[in-house]
Every structure is written in structure tokens, then in C-alpha cells.
Amino acid sequence: MMSGMNTEVCDSAELVTLRRIFASRPEALPPIRQGAVRAFEAEHGIVLPEPYRTSVAEVCDGLGSGPPYYGLLPLAQIPPDWGSSRPKRLLARPFPLTAPWLWEVDEDAQALSEEDLEARTDSVADHGSLLLGTEGCGMYWHLIVTGPQRGHVWLIDENGAVPFGTRPATSLMPGTPGFTGWVTHWAEGRSWFADV
């Protein structure tokens, strides 16, 4: 599943949508400006995907309350429940997945040693993604910043990793892919998951 999105140039219609949604939220945090974004990118050896990059610099750098349930994190923040003993987050290392992976029910994953499975799942959680927020109970939203899924938003928890906004509508989390599609989805109050 390739990106298919333009993550290099901020689409003006997407920016208008993000401005409208965030302007309606009194808990929206002020933007951080382009200089702070460039400094973050230089520190991590990445370029943030559009329209997220322009959004945090010009529109809003997070929400004090949800969605996600515990709020949209400001750039570079990690949720308090992330844990201090986790491996170092490596944003420049490509996100390793291109399709959903439910390791709790994947027979190949279950055949791995505990150490090998932990290394693979840690790479999913810690490589090539920026944390957007948490729904609690170990469920974290990630914006992919490197690799073939750059610009997509994924939900990662202890059971697996699933992209938001995949098509067709029969997928686990149907909707419009990318940051704007994800923000629009929660702003409209729709369920994340397809009716099963």
C-alpha cells in the first residue's frame, strides 16, 4: 500500500479545513512557527509530511483535550503513559510496515522468540513515526514521517498496528488517509473502526 498522497506540498484546501476545525476548538494550542519546526527536523534528520508540517507551524500545535481521547500532542511530546524504559525513538529510521499487522493473532509472529517479537514490535512503535496522541489503555496514534507510509496515520497498541483511512471501505479503519482525513474524521465524531 503506497502513500498516494502529496506529503511534500501543503494543499491549500487541506489547510483551510484544518484551520476551520482547529479554530472551533478553544483548547487549541498556538502554532510553533517554521523555525521551531525546522530545528526539530534537523535534530531528527527528517522532514515532516504535509499538511501536518504547516499545521503545527501556522495553525495549531496540539489540543489540550481530545480527540484523541487525551488530546492531540504538541510536536515532539510523548504521552505520560509512554514509559521511560522504552527504546529510543528513531524518527529517521523508516517505519517498517506497509500493511496492518496484528501480531497477537499472526502465527508467524507467535512463532518468533519473545526477544525477536519484542524487537520487531518495538521497531513498529519507535521507528519513523511521530506520536500524535493516545486513546488510553496503550492505544497510540502515530503519524508516519519516514518510509513508504509517510503521511499516513496509524493506530498502534499491544495487539498490533493498523493504518487509518485505508480503502476500500471494508478495511478495519476506512476513511480518507492522511493527517487532514484523520482530523476531519474525529472532528465529525465518527467511529474509528468499521462496523464488523
Side-chain angles (χ1 to χ4, degrees):
M1 169 170 52
M2 294 301 288
S3 174
M5 297 179 294
N6 185 349
T7 59
E8 304 304 317
V9 177
C10 186
D11 179 274
S12 60
E14 287 188 76
L15 195 55
V16 166
T17 298
L18 291 169
R19 283 186 195 284
R20 178 183 47 77
I21 290 170
F22 290 129
S24 71
R25 311 218 27 131
E27 72 279 9
L29 302 175
I32 60 170
R33 305 289 176 227
Q34 288 290 347
V37 171
R38 284 191 294 274
F40 176 84
E41 291 172 332
E43 177 185 345
H44 293 281
I46 62 166
V47 174
L48 294 170
E50 291 291 359
Y52 177 81
R53 184 179 198 273
T54 298
S55 182
V56 297
E58 298 179 10
V59 180
C60 165
D61 184 31
L63 297 173
S65 63
Y69 189 79
Y70 290 99
L72 179 63
L73 290 169
L75 179 65
Q77 281 197 9
I78 294 174
D81 66 344
W82 185 250
S84 58
S85 63
R86 294 195 49 80
K88 182 178 179 183
R89 295 192 43 74
L90 303 171
L91 276 60
R93 188 166 292 169
F95 181 71
L97 300 179
T98 57
W101 182 33
L102 302 174
W103 49 79
E104 285 296 310
V105 295
D106 179 353
E107 290 179 15
D108 292 335
Q110 295 306 306
L112 295 172
S113 71
E114 187 174 321
E115 289 174 347
D116 288 344
L117 180 59
E118 183 175 343
R120 288 192 61 200
T121 59
D122 282 350
S123 73
V124 170
D126 294 316
H127 294 175
S129 70
L130 187 72
L131 287 157
L132 292 175
T134 179
E135 298 291 346
C137 299
M139 298 170 62
Y140 302 97
W141 290 103
H142 294 247
L143 174 66
I144 308 308
V145 297
T146 53
Q149 287 290 293
R150 185 173 187 269
H152 285 269
V153 176
W154 284 61
L155 182 63
I156 302 172
D157 65 17
E158 72 269 0
N159 300 309
V162 178
F164 167 77
T166 54
R167 294 186 176 106
T170 57
S171 65
L172 292 172
M173 283 195 287
T176 302
F179 182 69
T180 305
W182 180 74
V183 168
T184 301
H185 195 89
W186 58 249
E188 293 172 351
R190 295 187 291 172
S191 171
W192 293 115
F193 298 97
D195 295 330
V196 185

